[in-house]
Amino acid sequence: MTNLNITETSSTPAIEADWQAGVIRMKGDSYPENSFELFQPVVDWVSQFLREAKRPLRLELDLLYLNTSSIRALMDILDMFEEAHRKGTEVSAVWRYDAANERVGQLAEEFKEDCTFAFDITAKA
């Protein structure tokens, strides 16, 4: 499998998925016109990684704003992490956010409530 690199735009985050390192990074705003088009390659990559790599997978988020469809897509990805965790695969997530942006911090806490795997939330000063 190859790495996945999606370039950041004014309405979409930079997304990097590193197969060898077992890390997915998302950084920036996320309010695409078509979230399926943006996130389906990520969902496919995560699915293949979890099926084939048999190694730990980590999700690193540094998102500033998410629209409703992006939230749904991220929930789908975290659901895949949760299922893998329940099957014994080591997965984790970390969400870094600007401490001045309380809404994103609250959103991260809401996501964390549904996850039983390691999920750290860090406010940046």
Side-chain angles (χ1 to χ4, degrees), residues 1-117:
M1 182 66 179
T2 60
N3 294 337
L4 177 66
N5 289 298
I6 299 173
T7 304
E8 181 178 17
T9 70
S10 60
S11 62
T12 63
I15 301 174
E16 299 174 6
D18 185 325
W19 186 270
Q20 194 63 34
V23 176
I24 305 169
R25 295 180 185 90
M26 298 185 197
K27 183 176 183 176
D29 286 318
S30 186
Y31 53 96
E33 284 188 32
N34 186 337
S35 64
F36 178 81
E37 188 175 295
L38 174 66
F39 286 103
Q40 189 59 46
V42 180
V43 169
D44 292 343
W45 192 94
V46 169
S47 177
Q48 186 170 1
F49 186 93
L50 293 172
R51 189 177 55 250
E52 296 178 6
K54 310 290 185 198
R55 293 184 280 120
L57 181 59
R58 179 179 173 90
L59 176 62
E60 297 180 358
L61 302 171
D62 192 350
L63 297 169
L64 306 172
Y65 172 81
L66 292 88
N67 66 3
T68 303
S69 62
S70 295
I71 290 171
R72 180 68 216 160
L74 187 54
M75 288 173 61
D76 290 345
I77 293 167
L78 291 172
D79 285 347
M80 295 169 70
F81 271 60
E82 184 65 27
E83 183 179 337
H85 173 66
R86 290 176 190 225
K87 291 179 179 177
T89 301
E90 184 180 333
V91 294
S92 62
V94 61
W95 192 323
R96 297 178 193 93
Y97 71 98
D98 185 336
N101 190 345
E102 291 181 23
R103 175 67 188 113
V104 172
Q106 292 170 349
L107 181 62
E109 289 290 343
E110 291 172 15
F111 276 112
K112 183 178 179 177
E113 289 176 4
D114 294 331
C115 300
T116 61
F117 56 85

